[in-house]
Amino acid sequence: MEDYFDDDFELEEDEELDDFILKLGQIILEDEYQPHEDVPERIELIKKCGEGLKYAIAGKNVKFTCGLHNPFPSCGYISIVGEDVVVVNPDLFAAICSASDNFNIYSRTDGKIQMDFGFHGLTRKLVEVYEETV
């Protein structure tokens, strides 16, 4: 078997790209932590999806976790971890996947299955609220 890895491999550094990525990250963080208000419809959606998943998923030692305003104020998630996770209500499961902004499923090194549902737009900037009312 041929070895494709070269011990002398060096990663080419691109300072301009690195600076751009760091500046972009700073812009996003500054925007994310501006004054916001909750969007009640989005908060209610994530809560209903979390409840619905309890009827759509079965398995051994299944743990449901829901986080609002995490990892950023405008984001939320639902995470399911368990053994032998099975979708028992495919229509409900598909509807919840469609309602989420992001869905990932993967096997973990401890033998469990993890499903993550991401939700965005849980908040909106107060500036946007002001512009709507004027």
Side-chain angles (χ1 to χ4, degrees):
M1 183 172 185
E2 191 174 337
D3 183 10
Y4 291 100
F5 297 103
D6 182 4
D7 292 336
D8 297 327
F9 175 78
E10 290 185 28
L11 183 62
E12 186 178 314
E13 291 188 27
D14 186 339
E15 281 189 37
E16 189 175 318
L17 180 60
D18 289 346
D19 288 342
F20 172 76
I21 291 171
L22 291 172
K23 287 177 184 174
L24 182 60
Q26 188 62 38
I27 290 169
I28 292 169
L29 282 176
E30 288 171 5
D31 181 66
E32 191 67 36
Y33 289 102
Q34 293 297 317
H36 287 74
E37 75 169 2
D38 285 346
V39 177
E41 300 83 20
R42 296 293 292 170
I43 302 281
E44 191 63 28
L45 175 67
I46 192 171
K47 289 178 179 179
K48 286 182 178 179
C49 287
E51 286 300 313
L53 283 167
K54 293 178 181 177
Y55 297 100
I57 301 291
K60 186 177 176 187
N61 298 323
V62 177
K63 180 181 177 186
F64 293 83
T65 308
C66 181
L68 297 174
H69 309 298
N70 188 351
F72 296 105
S74 66
C75 299
Y77 70 90
I78 300 168
S79 185
I80 300 169
V81 178
E83 300 170 28
D84 302 322
V85 177
V86 177
V87 175
V88 294
N89 188 333
D91 292 335
L92 179 58
F93 182 77
I96 292 168
C97 287
S98 294
S100 71
D101 296 302
N102 188 20
F103 170 69
N104 293 301
I105 182 171
Y106 48 92
S107 58
R108 297 172 19 149
T109 56
D110 62 2
K112 295 180 180 179
I113 300 292
Q114 182 159 346
M115 295 181 187
D116 294 324
F117 301 80
F119 295 83
H120 303 284
L122 299 184
T123 62
R124 61 182 172 180
K125 290 187 228 173
L126 288 177
V127 172
E128 293 171 6
V129 174
Y130 174 76
E131 289 172 354
E132 287 177 9
T133 59
V134 173

